[in-house]
Amino acid sequence: MQSSPKVIITCAVTGSVHTPTMSPYLPITPTEIVDAAVGAAEAGASVIHLHARDPETGKPSPDPRLFMDFLPRIKQQTDAVMNISTGGGLGMTLESRLEAAHAAKPELCSLNMGSMNFVLSQAAMKQSNWKYDWEKPYLEGTRQGIVSNTFDQIERVIVEVGHAYGTKFECECYDVGHLYALAHFLDRKLLTPPLFVQTVFGILGGIGPDPEDMMHMRRTADRLFGKDYLWSILAAGKHQMGLCTMGAIMGGNVRVGLEDSLYVGKGQLAKSNADQVAKIKRILGELSLEVATPAEARDMLKLKGGNEVGF
């Protein structure tokens, strides 16, 4: 693992996991996403991870027109790196998941490193009065579905987005096998260092959120990638701050945001993405760890620069 002089904070502002009924603070419309992204950047995030939602219903949407509504506005107000999801939402085809990346030609995209069960049905048990008809079936349907990221699909994303536009990737690894899949593409020289390896903990279907799980992912990544990667930690729900803190102490970067957790403390809904960014930044400061600026994050990740994007 590369020794990072400063910690990159990524903020994933809306995602495709949580639904509007779960929190009134979840950004839905393009304007809400702009406000969430700018607020997170002002609070200390140097990378903003972005999905889009139907502004009428809050349902995850791959529509590039929605992305191109908020991307230029965020860029006008902050220098943060914008990271476009290629994971999209549950049930989306790969073609639809790539539409926004083709339109935006961003500096950074997410790249899921394997197919997996991604089960959210337990969240449906906690709600009774739904705001929208799509929410409950969407969550319950995850018991029958699978998030598809075959080797062919992964290679297509790398070639059609990475090679075509000079885009780098936030390589999302939800289990140990995903690290080995990533090593395969690195060995074939389809990807070039430094890798940005986002290890994900606590999704039902992926590796668990125990500290030993995180240690095992770190040891495996060190063995596979040596100094060719920057490590980052993403933990779902109540595990977010604890594992991010532990990972930062170990030299990692961190990801927070309402995509990953709706809370800022036990039983306390985060009123904004900035709440979570400010909290992890305070924790990092107490640990005498400095936060990377957008310019420093670009240099650490060897990104092409904000003037080379399509928005």
Side-chain angles (χ1 to χ4, degrees):
M1 185 181 75
Q2 287 193 14
S3 178
S4 300
K6 297 188 178 181
V7 180
I8 297 171
I9 299 177
T10 295
C11 184
V13 297
T14 188
S16 62
V17 172
H18 297 118
T19 70
T21 298
M22 297 178 184
S23 172
Y25 307 112
L26 187 68
I28 299 298
T29 68
T31 296
E32 289 170 349
I33 290 171
V34 170
D35 291 344
V38 172
E42 291 176 344
S46 54
V47 177
I48 307 296
H49 175 81
L50 293 156
H51 291 244
R53 290 177 180 264
D54 183 322
E56 300 298 324
T57 66
K59 188 173 183 179
S61 171
D63 188 344
R65 292 171 297 182
L66 292 172
F67 281 87
M68 297 306 284
D69 188 343
F70 57 70
L71 287 171
R73 290 194 279 162
I74 298 170
K75 184 179 179 181
Q76 288 170 358
Q77 299 178 61
T78 175
D79 189 38
V81 176
M82 275 166 272
N83 172 2
I84 308 303
S85 170
T86 66
L90 303 170
M92 295 181 189
T93 65
L94 180 65
E95 286 70 24
S96 65
R97 286 158 46 186
L98 293 183
E99 284 181 341
H102 286 312
K105 302 175 178 60
E107 296 180 79
L108 194 63
C109 274
S110 66
L111 176 60
N112 292 351
M113 293 311 304
S115 300
M116 63 178 291
N117 296 314
F118 199 109
V119 182
L120 306 172
S121 57
Q122 70 277 17
M125 302 175 189
K126 302 176 183 178
Q127 306 290 337
S128 54
N129 298 315
W130 299 93
K131 288 184 179 180
Y132 300 102
D133 291 342
W134 68 268
E135 296 180 74
K136 185 177 181 181
Y138 179 81
L139 297 169
E140 290 182 338
T142 60
R143 294 182 70 240
Q144 290 84 41
I146 188 169
V147 176
S148 178
N149 296 286
T150 65
F151 272 45
D152 180 70
Q153 289 173 321
I154 294 169
E155 185 167 337
R156 279 189 57 191
V157 177
I158 293 170
V159 173
E160 295 178 19
V161 177
H163 295 184
Y165 310 128
T167 299
K168 299 277 282 186
F169 296 101
E170 172 200 22
C171 301
E172 296 190 6
C173 297
Y174 293 78
D175 218 333
V176 178
H178 294 182
L179 294 172
Y180 283 90
L182 179 54
H184 165 81
F185 290 102
L186 180 65
D187 289 345
R188 291 177 57 200
K189 295 183 169 49
L190 287 172
L191 293 170
T192 56
L195 303 176
F196 187 34
V197 180
Q198 188 73 260
T199 49
V200 185
F201 304 93
I203 297 295
L204 185 57
I207 199 166
D210 191 272
E212 181 54 37
D213 294 321
M214 191 173 77
M215 294 291 293
H216 182 50
M217 291 285 274
R218 161 73 185 276
R219 288 190 295 262
T220 304
D222 279 349
R223 185 173 66 252
L224 292 174
F225 310 125
K227 294 183 178 181
D228 284 343
Y229 83 108
L230 284 82
W231 181 42
S232 187
I233 299 92
L234 183 174
K238 65 182 180 181
H239 308 287
Q240 182 185 73
M241 292 296 169
L243 286 192
C244 281
T245 301
M246 181 178 170
I249 291 170
M250 295 165 60
N253 303 284
V254 298
R255 176 172 138 173
V256 296
L258 296 189
E259 173 174 349
D260 305 334
S261 173
L262 295 174
Y263 293 84
V264 72
K266 187 173 182 179
Q268 181 184 359
L269 285 172
K271 293 184 179 179
S272 68
N273 282 272
D275 286 351
Q276 292 183 352
V277 175
K279 180 172 182 175
I280 195 64
K281 186 177 179 181
R282 287 195 302 271
I283 292 170
L284 295 172
E286 293 294 333
L287 297 171
S288 299
L289 296 170
E290 293 186 76
V291 172
T293 66
E296 290 166 336
R298 285 184 171 92
D299 183 62
M300 292 163 67
L301 297 171
K302 303 298 184 237
L303 302 181
K304 64 180 181 177
N307 59 332
E308 299 293 331
V309 298
F311 54 91

